[in-house]
């Protein structure tokens, strides 16, 4: 049978990896897919560089639309990135009847509803294993391996750059700015690291996982996003003393309605979290990724591996190529659905389940207060917490490392761990504590996830 013909849009790090792995493992991949898979056309603005990567047997063009217009091409791989031209090209490829493989989490998290609807209408597949956690087959696991389960929550370290920075901060006791510069020097962080350090990249990935886990549309605009830029070495140290590590987690969690009339919905959030050191995920260090999934039948599962890089990400891109090669002759209504739930049964799925506002999220907290070291201060602070109906799990008092601008007053750090409470309640309690004249600096609040 004639090989499946693939056109590649953008041959940078991941594109080169995809080309090389596909070539190196072509015989084995053919046996798995039941048919050869060949990249026969590449589009890249730097034609000479692209030609040097793929050799002279592959046609290289500068105009991506030449690939989309080619009737011989069955699958288009989009590795351009971003929301602009990538969106147009993906929609045009779908309209031309091509299946699409993409690593573009930003595009799908923001424009996924439009793209998946266009693909379903046209009867083509859009596959995106490489968009979440690079080489870890987490999309496949959620969509297929765990399909028997009612997924309760997904929590992952899904950004390698920030995990590298946090690991270095903890190991070396350094502050964020210093480690970021070092990470940029070593190539772990981009020259413009905004999407990574502000949590946006992780939120794109968490958004995609929430859709697959719960059968809801992709809703990046509803995600709560907080990065790691405000974290200090002090909190990492105190967390460690209390038996926790601080990780940037992407969390998608199902919340059932309960006796206190809490709304049913999905929590979708990215923020630094204290995680018990005894959890395996707390020990995922450097640029590695890991995702925990809790299903009602299977319990808790953990997936670990490289979340970025040329060949790890290529591994995911090629898995999608093989899937599409196996499935493209199947009636579209009987294929594995893009987002795990069959779109034509959406009336029976949970498409209406709302993404909850952050104020309704239920979690536990680490608070650090720089206070005047005077009689009655601890009682006042804990009184506010008790009055709010928030239960305290642990309290630690430590001599302040450095004194704040109110230098003449003796100072101390109060660290409070709480049990679960509603975020809005905690916000109100923090505002009250902050107003106390004995609280000398802005209160640090970091959420805490037991992941049990
Ligand atoms: N920039 C991402 C990370 C990799 O640091 O994990 C691609 O999503």
């Amino acid at each position: 049978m004639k090989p499946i013909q693939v056109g590649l849009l953008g041959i940078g790090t991941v594109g080169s990896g995809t080309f090389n792995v596909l070539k190196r493992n072509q015989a084995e991949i053919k046996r798995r897919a039941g048919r050869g898979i060949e990249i026969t056309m590449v589009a890249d603005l730097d034609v000479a560089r692209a030609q040097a990567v793929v050799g002279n047997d592959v046609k290289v063009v500068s105009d991506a639309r030449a690939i989309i217009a080619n009737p011989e091409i069955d699958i288009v791989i989009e590795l351009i990135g971003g929301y602009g031209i990538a969106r147009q090209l993906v929609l045009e490829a779908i309209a031309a009847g091509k299946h699409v493989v993409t690593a573009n989490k930003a595009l799908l998290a923001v424009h996924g509803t439009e793209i998946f609807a266009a693909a379903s209408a046209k009867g083509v597949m859009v596959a995106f294993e490489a968009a979440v956690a690079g080489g870890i087959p987490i999309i496949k696991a959620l969509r297929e391996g765990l399909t028997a389960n009612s997924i309760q929550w997904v929590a992952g370290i899904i950004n390698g750059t920030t995990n590298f920075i946090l690991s270095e901060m903890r190991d070396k006791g350094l502050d964020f700015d210093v480690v970021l510069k070092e990470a940029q020097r070593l190539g772990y962080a981009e020259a413009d690291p905004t999407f990574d350090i502000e949590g946006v990249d992780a939120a794109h990935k968490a958004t995609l996982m929430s859709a697959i886990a719960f059968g809801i549309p992709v809703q990046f605009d509803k995600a709560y996003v907080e990065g790691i830029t405000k974290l200090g070495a002090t909190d990492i140290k105190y967390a460690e003393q209390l038996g926790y590590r601080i990780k940037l987690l992407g969390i998608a969690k199902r919340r059932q309605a309960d006796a206190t009339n809490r709304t049913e919905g999905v929590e979708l959030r990215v923020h630094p979290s204290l995680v018990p050191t005894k959890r395996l995920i707390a020990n995922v260090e450097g640029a590695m990724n890991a995702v925990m999934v809790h299903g009602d039948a299977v319990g808790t599962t953990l997936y670990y591996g490289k979340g970025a890089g040329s060949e790890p990400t290529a591994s995911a891109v090629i898995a999608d190529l093989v899937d599409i090669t196996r499935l493209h002759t199947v009636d579209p209504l009987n294929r594995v659905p893009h987002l795990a739930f069959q779109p034509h049964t959406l009336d029976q799925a949970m498409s209406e389940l709302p993404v909850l506002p952050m104020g309704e999220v239920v979690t536990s907290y680490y608070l650090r207060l720089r206070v005047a070291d005077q009689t009655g201060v601890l009682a006042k602070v804990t009184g506010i917490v008790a009055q709010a109906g928030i239960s305290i799990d642990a309290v630690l008092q430590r001599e302040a490392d450095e004194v704040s601008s109110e230098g003449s007053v003796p100072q101390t750090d109060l660290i409070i761990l709480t049990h679960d409470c509603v975020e809005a309640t905690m916000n109100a309690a923090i505002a009250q504590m902050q107003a106390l004249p004995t609280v000398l600096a802005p209160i640090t609040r970091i959420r805490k996830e037991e992941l049990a």
Side-chain angles (χ1 to χ4, degrees), residues 11-341:
I11 186 154
T13 309
V14 177
S16 312
T18 302
F19 185 82
N20 293 333
V21 174
L22 203 49
K23 198 165 170 197
R24 187 169 78 230
N25 296 342
Q26 62 179 319
E28 213 159 336
I29 289 169
K30 182 176 179 181
R31 285 170 58 215
R32 289 193 165 121
R35 192 170 165 188
I37 299 174
E38 285 177 5
I39 293 176
T40 54
M41 265 185 106
V42 170
D44 200 285
L45 292 177
D46 190 340
V47 172
R49 190 188 50 82
Q51 199 78 67
V53 174
V54 297
N56 289 330
D57 294 342
V58 177
K59 188 172 168 58
V60 178
V61 292
S62 58
D63 178 12
R65 291 190 168 94
I67 291 184
I68 293 169
N70 182 346
E72 296 295 312
I73 297 290
D74 304 294
I75 305 175
V76 169
I77 305 177
E78 182 275 307
L79 296 174
I80 296 168
Y83 317 101
I85 186 70
R87 173 177 160 271
Q88 285 169 28
L89 293 172
V90 164
L91 288 171
E92 286 174 29
I94 290 168
K98 316 287 186 203
H99 303 288
V100 173
V101 174
T102 179
N104 192 336
K105 64 249 22 170
L107 175 67
L108 294 181
V110 176
H111 297 290
T113 300
E114 175 190 26
I115 289 168
F116 293 122
S120 293
K122 196 71 190 175
V124 296
M125 289 172 269
V126 174
F128 55 99
E129 184 63 75
V132 183
I136 305 174
I138 188 62
I139 299 298
K140 191 94 170 165
L142 279 168
R143 197 182 52 196
E144 294 165 60
L146 299 174
T147 199
N149 288 265
S150 171
I151 306 284
Q152 303 301 304
W153 52 263
V154 180
I157 295 170
I158 43 181
N159 183 271
T161 304
T162 45
N163 202 50
F164 175 81
I165 292 172
L166 292 176
S167 301
E168 290 287 292
M169 286 174 72
R170 185 178 61 82
D171 273 0
K172 301 184 177 158
L174 296 172
D175 271 321
F176 171 79
D177 294 338
V178 180
V179 177
L180 173 62
K181 285 207 180 72
E182 181 65 359
Q184 284 173 312
R185 197 182 63 76
L186 294 171
Y188 282 105
E190 309 269 352
D192 178 0
T194 313
F195 264 32
D196 292 319
I197 62 177
E198 296 294 356
V200 178
D201 174 73
H204 287 146
K205 296 165 182 167
T207 298
L208 292 174
M209 292 198 291
S210 73
I212 296 183
F214 306 121
I216 58 172
V218 283
Q219 298 167 78
F220 172 70
D221 56 330
K222 305 259 176 69
Y224 173 81
V225 189
E226 182 184 318
I228 63 165
T229 55
K230 296 191 176 66
L231 282 178
T234 310
D235 295 305
I236 292 176
K237 182 184 72 183
Y238 289 151
E240 202 74 13
Q241 290 173 9
L242 287 157
Y244 292 87
R245 296 246 158 103
I246 300 181
K247 295 291 182 188
L248 183 72
L249 292 186
I251 298 170
K253 193 184 228 175
R254 182 194 298 259
R255 241 251 320 279
Q256 317 284 3
D258 70 8
T260 58
N261 287 328
R262 284 186 192 142
T263 338
E264 187 179 14
V266 170
E267 296 180 1
L268 175 56
R269 48 194 170 99
V270 169
H271 50 71
S273 304
L274 269 74
V275 177
T277 309
K278 63 188 176 198
R279 300 267 176 271
L280 281 174
I281 198 166
N283 296 281
V284 169
E285 299 286 28
M288 299 304 280
N289 280 201
V291 182
M292 291 175 83
V293 182
H294 186 85
D296 67 337
V298 72
T300 304
T301 55
L302 174 69
Y303 309 82
Y304 168 82
K306 289 186 178 156
S310 179
E311 294 206 354
T313 312
S315 166
V317 168
I318 296 168
D320 281 344
L321 292 177
V322 171
D323 259 1
I324 292 176
T325 303
R326 287 168 173 159
L327 286 173
H328 78 290
T329 53
V330 171
D331 166 9
L333 293 184
N334 291 317
R335 290 180 188 145
V336 177
H338 295 121
L339 292 177
F341 290 72

Side-chain angles (χ1 to χ4, degrees), residues 380-401:
K380 272 220 175 73
V381 166
T382 53
I384 290 172
V385 175
Q387 193 69 37
I390 299 167
S391 170
I392 291 176
D393 181 30
V395 178
L396 186 70
Q397 181 167 335
R398 284 285 182 270
E399 193 180 332
D401 279 349

